C-alpha cells in the first residue's frame, strides 16, 4: 500500500482540555423515554438513565446527548416542549436531573441537552396566551400568525405543506392561522420578537447553571424567517435558492442569534458547547460550526450514503476539508432517532440513485417500512456486519462520532409495530404514505427475559411494544460474548481513547477500489473492505476487527484497526 493525499486539519486540542473536549468526542444519544424505565410505568425516565451510568461508563462514551426530557404531550416524541426549564413529571424532577448530571460527571461523562428553539408545543403558556389574545396582540407576536385568505379568512394564508404531512397552517377560529413547520401541536416561534430571544438566553443559562456541558440545537437552520404579509406560494418557495435569503430556511441572520448564544456559552468556565442540527448544503454548514456561533454542526453525509467505498472516501475527504476551513471538528453520524437504523439500511438494496449524481429522493428504508418489513427482503446478517464495519471506520476518523442508543447492541429497525401502538406524528399525518420513526425508538432490551426485557422493573410491557427478537440482543446476553456487537463497541471505544491523536488523516492506497485505508498521525491505521472478497492487510499489529479475519486476511464487509 502506498500513501497519498494528506488531509491536514487544525492542530489537535490538548487531550482532555476542558474547553475542547467535544472536538473528538464519542457522544451517545439517549432517547430518554426509550432507554430505561426506573418506576415501571412503561416509559423511560431520568432515574432509569442514572441507574445505567455504569453501563455508559463501561461502554466508554465521552458524552451523552439527551433528547428532550421536558414536559410534553409527546405529539412529536418530546420535540413539542411545554416548558423549557422543567422535567416531564413522567420522567422525573429537576432533582432527578441534578442527580443524573452528578452521576455522569462522576463517571467522567459530559452531558449535552437537546434544545428546541424553532417551535414550542401548543400547550406552552405562551401559545395558550396567544390563543386567548386578539389578533395583533403582543402574545400573538411571539408566534407566526397571519390572516386567512378568502371571505372570513377560511382559506390558509399559504399552501405550504408541513414536514409531517398535511398543511403547515392551522386556523384558530377568528380568521387567523398559525404556522407550524412540523406537527400541528408545534407552533413556530417568531425569532424577531425580543422576548423570544431573551427567554432562550434564560433557558441556556438555566441548564448551564445546572451543570450541562452543551446543547444540541434542533432545526438550527429554521429559526430566522422573513415573512411579510403577502406570503409566497410553495412553488415560489421551491424555486428560491437556499443562499442566505430564503424566507424560511438557513437565513444569514440566524447567525446573529447564535452569536448572542455564544456570549452565554463563553461566560461559563469551561465554555458550554453546542452542535447544530442544520440540514443545509455542506458549504453553508461552516457558519453554524463557527466558534463565533454554535461551534459544531452535524454532518449527515455518511448517514445518507450507501455502504460504498467511493462514496465514503469522497464524503470523508470533503468534510475534513470543510471542518479545517471552519476551524471546527467534523461530526459523523450513522443512526439517530429520526432515521432507519444503519444495520437495517445496509441490509437493504441501495436506493435508486438519481441521475447526474443527484441524491436519491426516496428516504432510505421507506419502502421496506411501508411493507411492514417484507419488501425488499432484509439481509439481517449482512446489514449488521456492514454496520459494524462502518462504525469501526467512523470511530477511527478525526472528529466527533455521534452514536444512537441501541446501535451498540446491533439492533435492527422494528418495522411491524401495530398501528395502534404508533406514536410518530408522521404516521398520523400521512396515512399510508409514511409510517414514521417509531421503529428506531423501541425501548432497549436489557435482559433476555421479562415483560419488557428489563427495560422496566415491573411485569408490564414497555410503552412501544418490543419484538420477541429483542431478547436475544439484550445487554445481558451480549455482555460476556466476545463476538457481540456490544463487546465490539466497548473495545473500540476503549481503544479509541488510547489511540486518539491529532485531527489528521492520510489516505493509504490499497490497490482495491473496494478497500479504504487511512492512517492517523500516530500510526493508527483503519482498513475497511466494502467488497466481498478477502484482501491482504498491510503490515502492522491488528488491534481490533469488526469480524474475524480469514487466515490473517480482511474479509468482505469488515474493518480492522492496526498499529503500523
Ligand atoms: C428534528 C428532530 O430530530 C426530530 O425528531 C423532530 O421531529 C424535528 N426536529 C422537529 O422538532
Amino acid at each position: 500500500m502506498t500513501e497519498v493525499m494528506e488531509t491536514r486539519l487544525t492542530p489537535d486540542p490538548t487531550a482532555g482540555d476542558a474547553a475542547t473536549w467535544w472536538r473528538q468526542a464519542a457522544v451517545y444519544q439517549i432517547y430518554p423515554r426509550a432507554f430505561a424505565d426506573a418506576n415501571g410505568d412503561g416509559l423511560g425516565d431520568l432515574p432509569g438513565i442514572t441507574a445505567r451510568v455504569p453501563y455508559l461508563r463501561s461502554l466508554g462514551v465521552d458524552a451523552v446527548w439527551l433528547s428532550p426530557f421536558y414536559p410534553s404531550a409527546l405529539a412529536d416524541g418530546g420535540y413539542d416542549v411545554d416548558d423549557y426549564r422543567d422535567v416531564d413529571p413522567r420522567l422525573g424532577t429537576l432533582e432527578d436531573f441534578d442527580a443524573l448530571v452528578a452521576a455522569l460527571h462522576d463517571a467522567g461523562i459530559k452531558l449535552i441537552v437537546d434544545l428546541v428553539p424553532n417551535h414550542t408545543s401548543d400547550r406552552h403558556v405562551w401559545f395558550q396566551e396567544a390563543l386567548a389574545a386578539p389578533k395583533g396582540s403582543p402574545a400573538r407576536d411571539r408566534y407566526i400568525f397571519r390572516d386567512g385568505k378568502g371571505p372570513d379568512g377560511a382559506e390558509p394564508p399559504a399552501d405550504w405543506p408541513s414536514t409531517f404531512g398535511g398543511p403547515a397552517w392551522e386556523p384558530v377560529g377568528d380568521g387567523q392561522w398559525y404556522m407550524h413547520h412540523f406537527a400541528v401541536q408545534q407552533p413556530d416561534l417568531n425569532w424577531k420578537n425580543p422576548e423570544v430571544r431573551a427567554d432562550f438566553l434564560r433557558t441556556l443559562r438555566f441548564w448551564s447553571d445546572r451543570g450541562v456541558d452543551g446543547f444540541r440545537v434542533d432545526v438550527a437552520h429554521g429559526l430566522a424567517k422573513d415573512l411579510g404579509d403577502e406570503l409566497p406560494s410553495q412553488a415560489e418557495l421551491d424555486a428560491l435558492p437556499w443562499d442566505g435569503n430564503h424566507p424560511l430556511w438557513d437565513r444569514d441572520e440566524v447567525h446573529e442569534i447564535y452569536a448572542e448564544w455564544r456570549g452565554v456559552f463563553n461566560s461559563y468556565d469551561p465554555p458550554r458547547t453546542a452542535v447544530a442540527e442544520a440540514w443545509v448544503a455542506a458549504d453553508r454548514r461552516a457558519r453554524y460550526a463557527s466558534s463565533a456561533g454554535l461551534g459544531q454542526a452535524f454532518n449527515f453525509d455518511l448517514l445518507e450514503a450507501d455502504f460504498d467505498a467511493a462514496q465514503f472516501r469522497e464524503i470523508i475527504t470533503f468534510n475534513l476539508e470543510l471542518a479545517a476551513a471552519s476551524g471546527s471538528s467534523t461530526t459523523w453520524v450513522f443512526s439517530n432517532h429520526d432515521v432507519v437504523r444503519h444495520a437495517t439500511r445496509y441490509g437493504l438494496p441501495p436506493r435508486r440513485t438519481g441521475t447526474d449524481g443527484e441524491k436519491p429522493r426516496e428516504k432510505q428504508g421507506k419502502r421496506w417500512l411501508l411493507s411492514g418489513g417484507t419488501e425488499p427482503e432484509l439481509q439481517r446478517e449482512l446489514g449488521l456486519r456492514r454496520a459494524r464495519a462502518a462504525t469501526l471506520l467512523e470511530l477511527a476518523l478525526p472528529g466527533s462520532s455521534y452514536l444512537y442508543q441501541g446501535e451498540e447492541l446491533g439492533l435492527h429497525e422494528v418495522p411491524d409495530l401495530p398501528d395502534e401502538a404508533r406514536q410518530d406524528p408522521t404516521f398520523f399525518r400521512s396515512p399510508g404514505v409514511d409510517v414514521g420513526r417509531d421503529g428506531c425508538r423501541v425501548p432497549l432490551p436489557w435482559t433476555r427475559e421479562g415483560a419488557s426485557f428489563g427495560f422496566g422493573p415491573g411485569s408490564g410491557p414497555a410503552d412501544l411494544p418490543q419484538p420477541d427478537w429483542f431478547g436475544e440482543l439484550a445487554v445481558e446476553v451480549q455482555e460476556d460474548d466476545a463476538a457481540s456487537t456490544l463487546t465490539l463497541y466497548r473495545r473500540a471505544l476503549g481503544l479509541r481513547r488510547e489511540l486518539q491523536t491529532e485531527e489528521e488523516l492520510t489516505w493509504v492506497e490499497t490497490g482495491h477500489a473496494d478497500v479504504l485505508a487511512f492512517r492517523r498521525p500516530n500510526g493508527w491505521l483503519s482498513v475497511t473492505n466494502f467488497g466481498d472478497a478477502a484482501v491482504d492487510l498491510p503490515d502492522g499489529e491488528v488491534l481490533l476487527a469488526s469480524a474475524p479475519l480469514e487466515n490473517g486476511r480482511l474479509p468482505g464487509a469488515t474493518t480492522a484497526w492496526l498499529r503500523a
Side-chain angles (χ1 to χ4, degrees):
M1 298 202 179
T2 51
E3 300 197 1
V4 291
M5 215 193 84
E6 185 164 307
T7 307
R8 225 195 138 74
L9 298 170
T10 46
D12 182 42
T14 330
D17 184 328
T20 51
W21 63 267
W22 49 273
R23 292 191 68 98
Q24 300 207 79
V27 185
Y28 181 83
Q29 181 190 356
I30 291 187
Y31 196 70
R33 292 169 180 86
F35 184 71
D37 168 22
N39 65 6
D41 66 356
L43 202 65
D45 46 37
L46 299 188
I49 304 172
T50 306
R52 301 291 181 182
V53 167
Y55 172 76
L56 299 168
R57 187 182 189 152
S58 73
L59 186 57
V61 295
D62 302 306
V64 160
W65 148 26
L66 194 56
S67 279
F69 52 87
Y70 314 107
S72 167
L74 302 186
D76 180 20
Y79 285 87
D80 46 322
V81 178
D82 298 348
D83 180 348
Y84 292 88
R85 297 186 285 272
D86 206 350
V87 173
D88 186 334
R90 288 168 296 182
L91 269 62
T93 60
L94 280 169
E95 288 67 42
D96 291 328
F97 182 85
D98 294 341
L100 172 60
V101 174
L104 286 169
H105 285 173
D106 282 352
I109 299 172
K110 311 272 193 224
L111 177 64
I112 294 173
V113 296
D114 219 310
L115 192 72
V116 190
N118 179 68
H119 41 265
T120 67
S121 80
D122 59 351
R123 305 199 312 175
H124 191 283
V125 61
W126 277 355
F127 194 68
Q128 289 303 314
E129 268 177 49
L131 289 181
K135 172 180 166 180
S137 57
R140 287 211 175 169
D141 187 59
R142 297 188 192 113
Y143 293 90
I144 302 177
F145 278 86
R146 288 290 181 279
D147 289 337
K149 286 187 178 164
D152 307 326
E155 299 294 319
D159 63 343
W160 310 344
S162 89
T163 304
F164 295 149
W169 291 89
E170 186 71 10
V172 295
D174 60 4
Q176 285 224 297
W177 298 59
Y178 70 88
M179 189 206 148
H180 58 93
H181 265 317
F182 297 92
V184 76
Q185 299 90 342
Q186 291 168 298
D188 279 48
L189 284 165
N190 170 19
W191 273 86
K192 289 187 175 169
N193 182 303
E195 250 187 291
V196 170
R197 290 173 80 130
D199 195 70
F200 271 86
L201 297 180
R202 204 174 140 210
T203 297
L204 294 176
R205 287 197 199 94
F206 180 86
W207 295 109
S208 298
D209 289 345
R210 291 196 109 90
V212 312
D213 302 281
F215 299 87
R216 176 262 186 193
V217 182
D218 191 63
V219 201
H221 58 310
L223 277 51
K225 299 179 179 77
D226 189 30
L227 302 172
D229 284 334
E230 262 315 295
L231 300 176
S233 67
Q234 186 59 42
E236 284 164 338
L237 284 177
D238 287 346
L240 295 172
W242 287 29
D243 60 356
N245 297 306
H246 191 282
L248 292 177
W249 296 114
D250 192 23
R251 292 186 61 75
D252 285 339
E253 70 259 26
V254 80
H255 300 291
E256 291 164 20
I257 299 170
Y258 300 136
E260 224 176 336
W261 291 15
R262 176 50 57 188
V264 175
F265 299 152
N266 288 355
S267 70
Y268 287 86
D269 182 21
R272 299 323 190 218
T273 66
V275 56
E277 186 220 19
W279 292 86
V280 298
D283 59 347
R284 293 195 53 88
R285 213 180 282 141
R287 300 189 64 189
Y288 294 86
S290 146
S291 58
L294 295 176
Q296 201 180 41
F298 282 129
N299 147 30
F300 296 115
D301 298 352
L302 276 188
L303 181 154
E304 292 188 315
D306 299 316
F307 186 75
D308 176 274
Q311 289 182 38
F312 268 54
R313 178 165 174 162
E314 192 186 322
I315 288 169
I316 292 166
T317 304
F318 177 64
N319 279 287
L320 291 177
E321 284 167 4
L322 266 186
S326 78
S328 184
S329 63
T330 192
T331 59
W332 309 107
V333 189
F334 285 117
S335 282
N336 64 31
H337 64 296
D338 288 333
V339 297
V340 170
R341 287 186 177 277
H342 67 294
T344 303
R345 297 198 312 266
Y346 292 154
L348 294 169
R351 293 164 298 168
R352 273 160 297 150
T353 39
T355 48
D356 301 332
E358 199 187 302
K359 270 194 194 162
R361 282 169 195 264
E362 186 184 282
K363 259 205 243 153
Q364 277 174 329
K366 187 167 159 183
R367 188 156 70 90
W368 177 81
L369 273 180
L370 272 175
S371 73
T374 55
E375 273 294 310
E377 194 186 339
L378 171 65
Q379 293 186 266
R380 290 181 88 85
E381 276 171 33
L382 177 65
L384 178 56
R385 187 182 173 107
R386 287 176 169 172
R388 289 167 55 125
T391 300
L392 208 53
L393 177 157
E394 171 191 29
L395 291 174
L397 288 171
S400 319
S401 289
Y402 284 79
L403 310 169
Y404 177 52
Q405 68 178 39
E407 66 170 81
E408 79 278 17
L409 303 178
L411 292 187
H412 274 284
E413 187 83 3
V414 180
D416 47 2
L417 287 164
D419 284 358
E420 58 279 9
R422 291 203 178 273
Q423 301 176 357
D424 188 354
T426 313
F427 172 72
F428 301 107
R429 290 187 62 93
S430 58
V433 178
D434 207 336
V435 296
R437 304 159 292 179
D438 294 315
C440 64
R441 300 173 177 183
V442 176
L444 293 192
W446 294 89
T447 56
R448 186 196 294 266
E449 308 289 344
S452 63
F453 299 115
F455 170 66
S459 52
D463 81 316
L464 261 180
Q466 299 155 301
D468 290 346
W469 50 264
F470 258 37
E472 285 311 307
L473 295 169
V475 173
E476 172 187 75
V477 176
Q478 299 202 30
E479 210 136 37
D480 299 318
D481 175 358
S484 74
T485 303
L486 179 57
T487 301
L488 177 70
Y489 270 68
R490 283 182 172 163
R491 293 186 61 199
L493 287 162
L495 265 173
R496 183 179 196 267
R497 282 198 173 179
E498 269 173 45
L499 293 168
Q500 198 51 278
T501 178
E502 288 166 41
E503 290 174 43
E504 214 172 283
L505 166 157
T506 307
W507 289 110
V508 176
E509 279 316 311
T510 65
H512 299 276
D514 274 346
V515 183
L516 282 192
F518 58 85
R519 186 192 305 277
R520 301 288 299 273
N522 56 354
W524 177 13
L525 183 66
S526 176
V527 189
T528 303
N529 184 354
F530 288 81
D532 298 324
V535 295
D536 288 334
L537 278 169
D539 291 340
E541 177 199 357
V542 177
L543 302 172
L544 185 62
S546 63
L549 300 185
E550 281 173 10
N551 301 321
R553 304 184 83 216
L554 186 69
T558 307
T559 293
W561 287 359
L562 289 82
R563 201 187 323 250

